Amino acid sequence: MNVDLHCHSTVSDGVLTPDQVAQRAHEHGVNLWALTDHDELAGLALAQQTATDLGMQFIPGVEISVTWLNKTVHIVGLGVDYQNPQLIQSLAHVRSGRAQRAHKIAAALADLGIEGAFEGAIPFASNPELVSRTHFARFLIQQGHCASMKEVFATYLGDTGPAYIPMQWASLENAVRWIHEAGGVAVIAHPGRYDYTTLQFDLLFDTFKALGGQGIEVVTGSHAPAQYLEYAQVAKRYGFEASCGSDFHGPKEGRIDVGCLPPLPTGLHPIWQRWI
């Protein structure tokens, strides 16, 4: 079964519209698909309708930005009711600080000699409420400052980069609670991306488990292949259900295209068994 439970559209920081992502997933043989835009639910109705028309099973999702130990962590909610008023209101609050942050990123880039970054990033953002580092990265690539997303984040916009501006996102407790109250299951997205010590990771997993978190992404486009086995062991140790997702943003971005994931390592409990 071809499963992809982490994708983005133009509603957040992807380059394809929700229906175009659905079409691409279908063309790549996906049977079970989730759209998980950052802190936003607006693309889910179109994604669901398109997936249904194409004969794919659809799981409504969202990727919530969380601040934990002064760093950003992402929690994916799968199977959420995207008409849940509390979830809609809570995500609007999470999004509200992005515009101010975007101006600060642009000012930091100007201090580094890169002018007009805010105006340059805006055309890449279909949703003006969700101007993000990814949109700035596309501008920097377009202007020839960097050759790839990886280079942009390593040079300018990564968590230790000179143009990184921290944000106070949702708390881990609130993110998990919002997902549960909307009928969904909570999954730690791409843990291999987070710069924590071993002890901090243990605390993150313990805390997430205690809050009722159910899953962890094991196979994802944000992980190197060696990390699949590493986080398979984490899933087993903590009793997490295993999820997988390309973290698709665009055809030429990321390690893995939508629907092109390798299988999970053996011995895991796939989270999608809840829906099949």
Side-chain angles (χ1 to χ4, degrees), residues 134-203:
T134 300
H135 301 120
F136 281 99
R138 290 180 183 137
F139 164 74
L140 293 173
I141 293 169
Q142 180 195 63
Q143 295 299 305
H145 296 288
C146 294
S148 66
M149 285 282 184
K150 183 177 180 180
E151 184 182 349
V152 171
F153 279 85
T155 307
Y156 295 107
L157 297 177
D159 288 358
T160 59
Y164 173 70
I165 302 297
M167 273 284 293
Q168 185 63 43
W169 302 112
S171 69
L172 181 61
E173 180 180 8
N174 281 344
V176 174
R177 177 170 56 83
W178 298 339
I179 290 166
H180 288 167
E181 289 178 349
V185 296
V187 179
I188 297 177
H190 42 58
R193 279 178 43 178
Y194 308 135
D195 184 21
Y196 289 128
T197 67
T198 299
L199 288 177
Q200 288 171 331
F201 267 122
D202 288 343
L203 181 59

